[in-house]
């Protein structure tokens, strides 16, 4: 099996390994020694393969680039084919090593050319307007502050090789930030498109100058006409020692060593998984709320620069309203006073930070395409449509552009460290190649425009099937049905307390009605859990319907300024259950998702809706269920495990996550493979875990630490800032490698092994969703799943035909079969060169089926005291800085959940006399924003 996002180099490596270690054997039933099925404890200790070349883009670099992608991040001299002279800043006639160019990729096949003095080769000012001239001038745009270095505090742990890149002519020093140039006017006038010619030369095309080409004539560079330039526009490239080139400034990764990979494309996977993250959220809520983006073709200063237009930290800015207060020193590059673990509107998943998480073991991630039309309309600054499905389309496009950018830096299509997967088989190949598999999900409030008003749906079943086709074509494989407000598919679980009143008013504005919360039936008469408890007017308002809001003067003024009428339903006593459950259209959508093999996420649904949804899927014998970030009910989590699905708790603080792990170990169903993932909710207005603040004598994260595969993780350096997880928490996504290490520090190797099993658990859920039968050793005793297998089948064809094997290895898949005497036996389906079936080998003995999970008695026994759970099912952290803390902090999520605990900072704030448009919008976003 092949797919366009697989790495050619990784595939070549895997093919070589397979060819040298496996001999093709004709298919035959043959007697052999007993081959008992390995218990999962053995699987957990499987041999891990590494791919060193993925960690170093210069491995395998040729002296002469083989195509227009291969010069990425390299250092090359340009020699004109016309006169044989090397050309550079000073013209021609000098040694090639004196004037090489650093090739900084902006997209596939396009580059900024940086000369040794740190300047960009670019069209002269006004060249774009001189399109009719036969010859146009070029110049070198200054982008460097000479001999100026960004000094940072240096930890002794950071090795010199990670900090020795400097501009040519400046001796490297340990206290010098690498690439110490200050980028200047990098833009279309310096963005060169490269074309490889049949003679092995290269032509440099400047689209910003009407497609003129770089031409060597008269001993200098000019822009010439492409048709007339001839050999003068053809250059030979020769690799030069990188120390001769200036380096473009960039955030560091600070991980050294090989990359964890599988031995073969079909092997059992290892790594960690994040099932809920908003990588493209810089485009949501109109595209102007957040500061920064995960990448920019012209570098870190453009991606993580200033955002004054967003007024993030002024008295009316979102960060101020979110409780941090106005600040004047909030700066990303180069000082990085932000982001912090409790900032919500600054970019936290810059691609180099994501690269660090990948180098630290991350192997799968679900990118949730997200928006909320109500919040988008409220915020005054916007450049994008507020229609949520438009946002889905735009963010999917941006994700593909992001992957192309990573490919451009790695040397060509499919070479980047992250690739998009649309099937579990593609994802398995990507993970086992050592890369990060990106899957797409959706989290919006009105999925497929299926809002409702006064109970009337705004969509039809035909709309649902049409848009299902569309999002599948975009690559979407995982979806929630509802997020903030009731819609035509499902009721919501709501928000509790005073926040619930605010969001409930938003629900009325969107749907024409309040939530229909009622006292839940007696626990003996129902199987579902409870929704968020609302303030009971009769019990708590002292007879005044608006009183609960009046306790929060700021919220009351915001509502008044927004034109909301004071009032709220007089709910009966709790616990509360939303009477709105899963609708007929919601059931129709679930059936369509199951038919298409899409993963269903019940988060944010009302208790009735989630319970009915699981009934529907149970009737369909469908196990493609993933609760991605702790926004359901505990009984739902237990049912998900029993149905063969997966639960990835909200990450938050590491201590709280350890408690969540212990709890879920006790819920795990031994019939299914168990692994642990997390839902970071990063970039989704969801706070990240703060520092753990261990008590005296308790262990801390010590640097450097080693991860699976042997890589060493050092303290991360961004600009002039050096991060220490012990004091910063997960201030940005790169520190999730450190967060996982902190889990191991607290709970030992058991939790780490379960985290490494996370991608495999997710992939097996997804495999069953797309039609791979369940493990015959457990679910189909007395059958022979290997009947019908033939030589030459690919591993995914084997899975679809025979089902999930009981064991996976580099050699092949082991199934339970039946021999010619109708006795149970083990069957090894061996894969040969190319990943195709080369032999089927039966044994004459059969062991009892081993459990798919290691022994968990000790971990399960530990699950009680430490894990503290709210009635709403949210896990909480008692550590400082946690987004789920019990200290009155808010847990805000992108499409509209705010989890306000006790008396938060909003409740204590004074109401301004006349809220501005930005202030009003910021407050409403804070009060309505939700767990995405």
């Amino acid at each position: 099996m092949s797919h366009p996002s697989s790495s050619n180099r990784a595939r070549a490596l895997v093919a070589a390994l397979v060819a040298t270690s496996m001999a093709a054997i004709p298919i035959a039933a043959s007697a052999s020694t007993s081959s008992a099925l390995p218990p999962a404890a053995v699987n957990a200790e499987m041999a891990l393969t590494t791919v060193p070349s993925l960690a170093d883009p210069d491995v395998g670099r040729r002296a002469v680039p083989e195509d227009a992608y291969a010069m990425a991040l390299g250092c090359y001299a340009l020699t004109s084919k016309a006169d044989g002279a090397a050309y550079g800043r000073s013209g021609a006639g000098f040694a090639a090593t004196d004037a090489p160019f650093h090739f900084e990729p902006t997209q596939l096949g396009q580059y900024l050319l940086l000369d040794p003095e740190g300047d960009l080769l670019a069209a002269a000012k006004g060249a774009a307007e001189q399109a009719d001239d036969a010859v146009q001038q070029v110049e070198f745009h200054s982008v460097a502050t000479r001999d100026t270095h960004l000094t940072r505090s240096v930890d002794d742990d950071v090795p010199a090789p990670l900090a020795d890149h400097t501009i040519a002519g400046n001796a490297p020093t340990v206290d010098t930030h690498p690439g110490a140039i200050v980028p200047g006017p990098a833009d279309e006038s310096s963005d060169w498109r490269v074309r490889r010619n049949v003679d092995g030369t290269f032509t440099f095309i400047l689209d910003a100058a009407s497609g003129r080409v770089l031409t060597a004539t008269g001993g200098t560079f000019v822009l010439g006409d492409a048709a007339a330039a001839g050999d003068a526009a053809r250059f030979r490239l020769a690799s030069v020692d990188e120390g001769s080139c200036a380096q473009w400034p960039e955030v560091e990764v600070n991980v050294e060593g090989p990359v964890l990979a599988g031995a073969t494309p079909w092997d059992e996977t290892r790594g960690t998984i994040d099932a809920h993250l908003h990588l493209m959220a810089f485009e949501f809520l109109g595209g102007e709320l957040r500061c920064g983006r995960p990448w920019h073709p012209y570098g870190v200063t453009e991606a993580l620069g200033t955002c004054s237009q967003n007024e993030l930290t002024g008295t009316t800015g979102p960060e101020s309203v979110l409780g941090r207060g106005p600040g004047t020193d909030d700066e990303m590059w180069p000082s990085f006073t932000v982001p912090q673990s409790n900032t919500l509107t600054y970019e936290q998943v810059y691609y180099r930070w994501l690269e660090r998480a990948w180098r630290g073991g991350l192997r799968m991630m679900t990118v949730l395409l997200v928006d909320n039309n109500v919040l988008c309309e409220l915020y005054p600054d916007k450049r994008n449509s507020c229609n949520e499905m438009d946002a889905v389309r735009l963010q999917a496009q941006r994700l593909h552009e992001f992957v192309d950018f990573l490919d451009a830096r790695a040397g060509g299509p499919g070479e980047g460290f992250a690739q998009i997967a649309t099937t579990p088989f593609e994802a398995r190949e990507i993970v086992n190649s050592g890369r990060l598999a990106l899957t797409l999900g959706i989290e919006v409030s009105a999925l497929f425009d299926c809002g409702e008003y006064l109970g009337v749906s705004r969509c039809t079943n035909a709309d649902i099937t049409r848009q299902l086709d569309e999002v599948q074509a975009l690559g979407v494989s995982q979806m929630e049905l509802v997020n903030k407000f009731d819609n035509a598919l499902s009721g919501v679980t709501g928000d509790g307390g005073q926040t619930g009143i605010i969001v409930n008013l938003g629900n009325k504005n969107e749907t024409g009605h309040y939530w229909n919360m009622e006292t839940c039936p007696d626990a003996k008469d129902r199987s579902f859990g409870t929704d968020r408890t609302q303030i009971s007017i009769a019990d708590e308002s002292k007879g005044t319907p608006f009183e609960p809001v009046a306790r929060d003067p700021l919220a009351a003024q915001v509502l008044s300024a927004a034109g909301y009428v004071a009032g709220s339903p007089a709910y009966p006593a709790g616990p509360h259950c939303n009477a709105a459950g899963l609708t007929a259209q919601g059931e129709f959508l679930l059936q369509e998702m199951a038919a298409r093999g899409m993963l269903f996420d019940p988060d944010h649904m009302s208790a009735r809706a989630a319970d009915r949804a699981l009934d529907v899927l149970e009737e369909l014998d469908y196990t493609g269920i993933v609760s991605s970030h702790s926004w359901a009910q505990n009984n739902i989590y237990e049912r998900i495990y029993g149905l063969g699905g997966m639960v990835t708790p909200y990450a938050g603080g590491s201590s709280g996550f350890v408690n969540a792990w212990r709890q879920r170990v006790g819920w795990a169903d031994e019939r299914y493979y168990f692994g642990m993932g997390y839902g970071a909710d990063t970039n989704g207005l969801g706070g990240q875990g703060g520092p753990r603040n261990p008590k005296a004598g308790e262990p801390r994260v010590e640097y450097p630490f080693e991860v699976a595969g042997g890589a060493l993780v050092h303290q991360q350096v961004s600009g002039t800032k050096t991060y220490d997880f012990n004091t910063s928490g997960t201030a940005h996504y790169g520190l999730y490698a450190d967060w996982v290490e902190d889990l191991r520090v607290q709970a030992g190797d058991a939790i780490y092994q379960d985290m490494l099993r996370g991608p495999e658990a997710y992939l097996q859920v997804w495999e069953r969703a797309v039609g791979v039968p369940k493990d015959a050793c457990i679910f189909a005793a007395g059958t022979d799943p290997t009947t019908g297998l033939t030589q030459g089948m690919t591993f995914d064809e084997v899975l679809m035909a025979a089902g999930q094997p009981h064991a996976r290895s580099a050699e092949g898949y082991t199934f339970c079969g039946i021999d010619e005497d109708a006795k149970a036996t083990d069957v090894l389906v061996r894969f040969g060169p190319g990943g195709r079936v080369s032999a089927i080998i039966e044994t004459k003995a059969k062991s009892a089926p081993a459990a798919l999970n290691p022994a968990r008695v000790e971990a399960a026994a530990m699950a009680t005291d430490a894990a503290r759970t709210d009635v709403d099912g949210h896990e909480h952290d008692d550590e400082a800085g946690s987004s789920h803390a019990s200290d009155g902090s808010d847990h805000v999520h992108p499409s509209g959940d705010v989890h306000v605990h006790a008396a938060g900072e909003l409740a204590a704030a004074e109401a301004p006399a006349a809220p501005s448009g930005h202030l009003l919008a910021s407050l409403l976003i804070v009060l309505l924003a939700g767990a995405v």
Side-chain angles (χ1 to χ4, degrees):
M1 172 184 175
S2 63
H3 57 89
S5 61
S6 292
S7 162
N8 295 330
R9 286 186 297 197
R11 282 180 170 277
L13 174 62
V14 167
L17 289 172
V18 172
T20 57
S21 63
M22 299 182 184
I25 302 176
I27 296 179
S30 60
S32 67
T33 57
S34 174
S35 176
L37 297 175
V42 175
N43 294 343
E45 301 299 327
M46 63 181 291
L48 300 175
T49 301
T50 58
V51 185
S53 61
L54 282 176
D56 185 355
D58 286 329
V59 171
R61 188 186 296 280
R62 299 181 182 178
V64 177
E66 60 268 32
D67 55 37
Y69 311 122
M71 63 277 291
L73 303 178
C75 185
Y76 294 92
L78 274 63
T79 302
S80 170
K81 182 180 179 181
D83 59 16
Y87 276 73
R89 184 187 189 93
S90 302
F94 48 83
T97 54
D98 292 338
F101 289 93
H102 168 79
F103 281 66
E104 183 70 19
T106 61
Q107 56 183 296
L108 281 166
Q110 289 192 199
Y111 303 91
L112 303 175
L113 302 184
L114 195 67
D115 85 340
E117 295 186 44
D119 293 340
L120 290 174
L121 178 64
K125 292 180 175 62
E129 288 76 39
Q130 302 169 11
D132 295 334
D133 294 350
V135 175
Q136 299 170 8
Q137 297 301 310
V138 298
E139 63 185 13
F140 286 84
H141 289 175
S142 176
V143 297
T145 301
R146 301 293 180 265
D147 300 320
T148 297
H149 295 77
L150 300 173
T151 302
R152 60 173 169 81
S153 59
V154 177
D155 191 286
D156 291 339
D157 164 62
V158 181
L162 296 177
D164 64 1
H165 297 293
T166 58
I167 297 176
N170 294 320
T173 56
V174 177
D175 66 344
T176 297
H177 176 71
I181 62 173
V182 181
D187 56 26
E188 292 85 354
S189 69
S190 52
D191 199 350
W192 299 90
R193 179 163 53 90
V194 176
R195 182 185 69 213
R196 186 181 186 274
N197 304 309
V198 293
D199 60 359
T201 62
F202 293 89
T203 296
F204 296 82
I205 306 163
L206 198 60
D207 292 330
S210 302
R212 297 299 181 101
V213 295
L214 186 67
T215 304
T217 182
T220 188
F221 284 130
V222 296
L223 284 174
D225 179 80
D231 286 349
R234 294 172 178 252
F235 294 90
R236 302 191 188 281
L237 270 62
S239 181
V240 177
D241 182 82
E242 191 142 341
S244 301
C245 275
Q247 296 297 307
W248 195 252
E250 193 49 272
V251 163
E252 298 178 41
V253 172
N254 305 110
V255 180
E256 59 178 341
V259 172
L260 174 67
T264 64
W266 59 82
D267 208 351
E268 184 172 330
T269 59
R270 281 295 180 271
T272 58
I273 179 173
D274 182 348
H276 196 112
L277 180 133
H278 302 285
L279 188 55
M280 298 295 116
F282 74 98
E283 293 285 16
F284 93 135
L285 297 185
E288 295 291 351
L289 173 70
R290 304 188 70 258
C291 178
R293 50 180 290 174
W295 90 104
H296 192 284
Y298 302 137
V300 64
T301 57
E302 296 292 326
L304 303 179
T306 59
C307 301
S308 59
Q309 74 277 14
N310 292 325
E311 300 180 356
L312 295 178
T313 58
T315 57
T316 64
E319 287 294 340
S320 178
V321 173
L322 289 167
R324 297 187 62 250
T328 58
D329 61 344
D330 281 356
E331 178 184 67
M332 286 196 280
W333 180 270
S335 67
F336 287 100
T337 60
V338 289
Q340 299 173 16
S341 62
N342 66 340
T343 54
L344 303 180
T345 55
Y346 292 96
E347 178 62 51
Q348 290 179 291
V349 199
Y350 185 58
Y351 85 94
R352 291 284 281 179
W353 294 332
L354 179 61
E355 183 177 350
R356 173 182 168 86
W358 161 68
R359 291 289 307 279
L362 182 70
R363 288 298 175 270
M364 286 195 71
M365 171 183 287
T366 301
V367 178
L368 276 295
L369 313 174
V370 60
D371 218 322
N372 184 295
N373 68 300
V374 175
L375 303 183
C376 178
E377 294 290 354
L378 284 171
Y379 197 66
D381 297 333
K382 58 183 68 70
R383 55 182 166 78
N384 297 333
S385 166
C386 286
N387 178 274
E388 293 173 353
M389 296 309 295
D390 285 346
V392 166
R393 299 177 187 101
L394 176 61
Q395 291 173 38
Q397 174 188 333
R398 292 288 182 260
L399 182 63
H400 283 273
E401 293 170 358
F402 175 73
V403 171
D404 285 348
F405 173 76
L406 299 182
D407 284 349
R409 296 185 63 81
E415 296 297 319
F417 73 83
Q419 300 294 319
I420 295 172
T422 59
T423 72
F425 316 117
E426 289 179 344
R428 184 175 296 279
E429 290 192 73
I430 292 169
V431 171
N432 279 329
S433 76
R435 288 174 168 77
L436 171 62
L438 302 175
T439 61
L440 277 67
I442 297 178
E443 184 180 35
V444 295
S445 293
L447 181 64
F448 302 149
D449 302 311
C450 287
E452 58 99 346
Y453 194 79
L454 296 177
V456 178
S457 173
R458 289 173 168 164
C459 70
T460 66
N461 286 358
D463 295 328
I464 291 174
T465 55
R466 174 179 55 81
Q467 294 198 64
L468 266 174
D469 289 339
E470 181 184 8
V471 300
Q472 273 202 296
L474 294 176
V476 171
S477 57
Q478 176 180 316
M479 293 195 306
E480 297 176 12
L481 269 59
V482 66
N483 183 252
K484 189 74 251 166
F485 309 122
D486 292 335
N487 63 25
L489 307 171
S490 172
V492 297
T493 192
D495 291 80
Q498 294 181 358
T499 302
I501 293 178
I502 306 297
V503 180
N504 203 357
L505 287 167
N507 193 84
K508 185 176 189 299
N509 183 66
E510 179 71 3
T511 66
H513 60 82
Y514 294 107
W515 296 322
N516 189 6
M517 295 288 183
E518 58 188 16
T519 302
C520 293
D522 185 81
K524 294 180 181 179
D525 299 327
R526 60 184 173 83
S527 61
F528 53 87
T530 66
D531 292 313
R532 304 309 195 257
T533 299
Q534 306 302 302
I535 292 178
S536 171
I537 301 302
D539 294 341
E540 301 185 33
S541 69
K542 299 181 174 62
T544 305
F546 201 56
E547 180 65 23
V549 177
R551 297 177 191 169
D552 184 350
L554 188 57
Q557 183 167 348
V558 169
L559 288 173
S560 176
Y564 287 118
V565 177
S568 184
Y571 288 123
H576 291 135
C577 289
N578 192 344
L582 186 69
T583 70
Q585 282 189 307
E587 291 199 21
F588 173 79
L589 174 56
L590 278 179
Q591 292 166 347
E592 287 293 307
M593 289 176 64
R596 297 160 185 260
M598 300 181 76
L599 298 175
F600 160 64
D601 185 345
D603 284 11
H604 294 293
M605 298 176 78
S606 69
R608 274 192 175 91
D611 188 68
R612 175 55 189 157
L614 296 189
D615 286 344
V616 171
L617 297 181
E618 187 173 21
E619 293 163 6
L620 295 172
D621 193 24
Y622 189 74
T623 67
I625 312 162
V626 176
S627 173
S628 65
H629 70 322
S630 298
W631 207 268
Q633 301 80 22
N634 283 349
N635 67 300
I636 295 298
Y637 303 143
E638 294 184 71
R639 285 195 66 190
I640 289 172
Y641 281 120
L643 291 173
M646 186 177 185
V647 178
T648 59
Y650 181 79
S654 53
S655 295
F657 190 87
V658 168
N659 296 336
W661 164 70
R662 288 169 175 155
Q663 186 180 50
R664 279 148 184 78
V665 162
W667 291 339
D669 189 319
E670 290 294 319
R671 298 174 300 170
Y672 298 101
Y673 188 102
F674 179 83
M676 197 70 179
Y678 62 91
D681 205 10
T682 314
N683 279 1
L685 300 183
Q688 303 302 293
R692 180 164 54 90
N693 297 330
K695 297 177 183 178
E698 290 184 349
R700 298 158 48 93
V701 172
E702 299 292 340
Y703 296 93
F705 57 86
E706 183 175 330
V707 296
L712 279 180
V713 179
H714 301 266
Q715 286 182 260
Q716 199 278 320
V717 178
S718 296
T720 61
K721 178 156 186 173
T722 300
Y723 287 91
D724 182 338
F725 179 81
N726 298 293
T727 56
S728 70
T730 43
H732 61 66
Y733 199 81
L735 295 169
Y736 265 100
D738 312 56
W739 179 85
V740 171
E741 174 64 13
D742 197 39
L743 301 181
R744 178 161 54 175
V745 166
Q746 295 179 67
D749 193 58
I751 191 171
Y752 187 60
Q753 291 300 328
D754 276 352
M755 297 300 290
L756 291 178
R757 291 159 57 91
E760 182 63 35
Y762 186 96
L763 287 173
Q764 292 196 22
V765 171
W766 197 3
E767 284 175 351
R768 293 191 291 272
V770 300
V772 175
K774 299 176 184 177
D775 182 355
C777 295
I778 296 175
F779 292 95
T783 65
D784 187 353
T786 61
T787 301
L789 296 187
T790 60
Q791 189 169 9
M793 294 178 73
T794 59
F795 82 87
D796 52 317
E797 291 172 338
V798 169
L799 289 173
M800 292 300 292
Q804 294 184 316
H806 198 73
R808 308 179 197 228
S809 69
E811 186 177 13
Y813 291 160
T814 301
F815 297 89
C816 291
I818 300 174
D819 65 14
E820 62 273 14
D821 298 323
K823 294 181 179 180
T825 183
D826 293 346
V827 180
L828 171 65
V829 178
R830 174 177 288 168
F831 296 111
R836 295 180 179 273
V837 174
S838 63
I840 298 177
I841 303 173
E842 296 181 359
T843 68
K844 290 298 183 181
K846 172 70 175 68
S847 63
L852 289 177
N853 306 308
R856 302 179 178 282
V857 177
E858 180 181 354
M862 299 168 61
T864 53
D865 296 337
R868 180 171 61 84
T869 305
D870 262 355
V871 292
D872 63 14
H874 257 313
E875 294 76 31
H876 286 247
D877 255 336
D878 291 324
E879 60 199 58
S882 166
S883 60
H884 278 249
S886 58
D887 58 0
S889 61
D890 296 345
H891 175 197
V892 188
H893 292 283
S895 317
D897 305 332
V898 183
H899 195 171
V900 180
H901 298 270
E905 295 179 70
L906 284 176
E910 292 186 8
S916 68
H918 275 86
L919 173 60
L920 174 60
S922 298
L923 287 168
L924 287 175
I925 286 171
V926 170
L927 294 170
L928 293 177
V932 194

